[in-house]
């Protein structure tokens, strides 16, 4: 089992521990998966292994931010979700099933919020890679041209949505029917509830950028768009 208390001074050891103990979870975050589903029914909810090392996205996202964001926030949502589903009808449900069945139901608000945040963070880590960002090629480039006109219009609209999300939330590139769209969601909300297929997401909760950028959310968004987007992941998510 993973350790529950992680002293900050042992961040490196923490990631090594997670990496070893998380070997069985590697499938849950396999980049080759052809679906954005990161859990299968009955597998339970787990903290997936990161698809890269904790310092891989530096200098755009520091190892320090990763240690808190992945090691504490994401882990916290996973633990809380597991705690809430225990003994309920959702005990063996997949994340997507939980999200779709609890969305908008006040009696399940805590479960929805935590499960959706697990899904969102699983998706966020896979939306980035070292050496990513900038103008894509292949099928995703053609889709962007069809839906936005050109890459610059996409980049401007995506950055604008991420900057304009008031308070905590997310901005997404999604596929809705045949077209690509940019949407923003508040708090834990995801495009799944609206039947849209996520391709890429950026977390704009302050915990995602404050250690590295303080209040300069737009600098973090620019780094994400120019240097981090995993376009191969986006393309694999296309229907
Ligand atoms: Mn977050």
């Amino acid at each position: 089992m993973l350790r529950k208390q992680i002293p900050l001074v042992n961040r490196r050891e923490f990631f090594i521990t997670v990496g070893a103990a998380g070997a069985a979870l590697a499938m849950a975050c396999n980049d080759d998966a052809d679906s954005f589903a990161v859990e299968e029914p009955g597998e339970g909810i787990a903290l997936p292994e990161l698809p890269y090392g904790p310092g891989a996205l530096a200098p755009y996202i520091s190892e320090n931010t990763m240690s808190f964001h992945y090691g504490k926030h994401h882990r916290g949502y996973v633990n809380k979700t597991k705690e809430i589903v225990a003994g309920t009808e959702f005990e063996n449900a997949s994340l997507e099933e939980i999200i779709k069945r609890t969305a908008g139901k006040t009696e399940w608000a805590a479960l929805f919020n935590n499960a959706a945040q697990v899904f969102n963070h699983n998706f966020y880590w896979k939306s980035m890679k070292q050496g990513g960002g900038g103008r894509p090629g292949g099928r995703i480039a053609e889709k962007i041209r069809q839906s936005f006109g050109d890459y610059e219009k996409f980049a401007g609209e995506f950055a604008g949505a991420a900057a304009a999300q008031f308070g905590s939330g997310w901005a997404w590139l999604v596929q809705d029917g045949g077209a690509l769209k940019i949407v923003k969601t508040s708090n834990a909300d995801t495009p799944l509830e609206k039947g849209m297929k996520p391709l890429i997401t950026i977390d704009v909760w302050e915990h995602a950028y404050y250690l590295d950028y303080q209040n300069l959310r737009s600098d973090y968004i620019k780094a994400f768009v120019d240097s981090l987007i995993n376009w191969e992941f986006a393309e694999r998510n296309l229907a």
Side-chain angles (χ1 to χ4, degrees), residues 69 73 77 117 121 170 203 205 207-208:
H69 198 179
H73 293 277
Y77 297 127
Q117 282 292 78
H121 285 87
W170 303 78
D203 186 345
W205 284 57
H207 68 223

Side-chain angles (χ1 to χ4, degrees), residues 2-113:
L2 305 184
R3 295 176 186 182
K4 290 199 169 174
Q5 296 297 324
I6 309 297
L8 288 183
V9 290
N10 287 339
R11 281 208 312 274
R12 189 169 296 279
E13 183 194 350
F14 157 67
F15 281 104
I16 290 168
T17 304
V18 167
L25 304 177
M27 289 291 289
C29 201
N30 186 339
D31 258 356
D32 294 329
D34 61 1
S35 164
F36 54 87
V38 291
E39 304 282 349
E40 293 300 326
E43 283 189 357
I45 309 299
L47 184 68
E49 192 173 11
L50 284 171
Y52 34 69
L57 304 183
Y60 309 108
I61 293 177
S62 67
E63 188 169 345
N64 191 31
T65 288
M66 294 294 288
S67 74
F68 280 93
H69 198 179
Y70 170 75
K72 298 205 177 285
H73 293 277
H74 190 175
R75 168 191 290 273
Y77 297 127
V78 170
N79 289 344
K80 194 70 184 173
T81 302
K82 288 164 71 173
E83 187 184 310
I84 299 172
V85 297
T88 74
E89 66 194 273
F90 296 107
E91 189 154 22
N92 294 312
S94 69
L95 273 179
E96 285 180 66
E97 190 182 346
I98 293 172
I99 290 165
K100 287 176 176 170
R101 287 173 55 194
T102 59
K105 296 188 174 156
T106 45
E107 68 272 30
W108 289 110
L111 176 56
F112 172 83
N113 285 334

Side-chain angles (χ1 to χ4, degrees), residues 104-194:
K105 296 188 174 156
T106 45
E107 68 272 30
W108 289 110
L111 176 56
F112 172 83
N113 285 334
N114 282 280
Q117 282 292 78
V118 174
F119 174 86
N120 293 346
H121 285 87
N122 291 351
F123 205 85
Y124 171 63
W125 303 127
K126 294 168 84 171
S127 294
M128 301 182 285
K129 69 168 194 177
Q130 189 175 40
R135 191 181 295 273
R139 201 156 70 94
I140 189 77
E142 179 58 18
K143 281 281 187 187
I144 283 174
R145 195 192 60 73
Q146 287 168 1
S147 297
F148 299 98
D150 58 30
Y151 169 77
E152 282 70 27
K153 285 188 180 138
F154 152 77
E157 194 177 322
F158 185 86
Q165 170 53 37
F166 186 76
S168 297
W170 303 78
W172 307 76
L173 175 63
V174 301
Q175 188 167 22
D176 186 17
L180 303 196
K181 292 179 182 170
I182 288 162
V183 297
K184 51 191 170 70
T185 59
S186 294
N187 299 320
D189 286 347
T190 85
L192 294 180
E193 303 102 89
K194 297 193 170 82

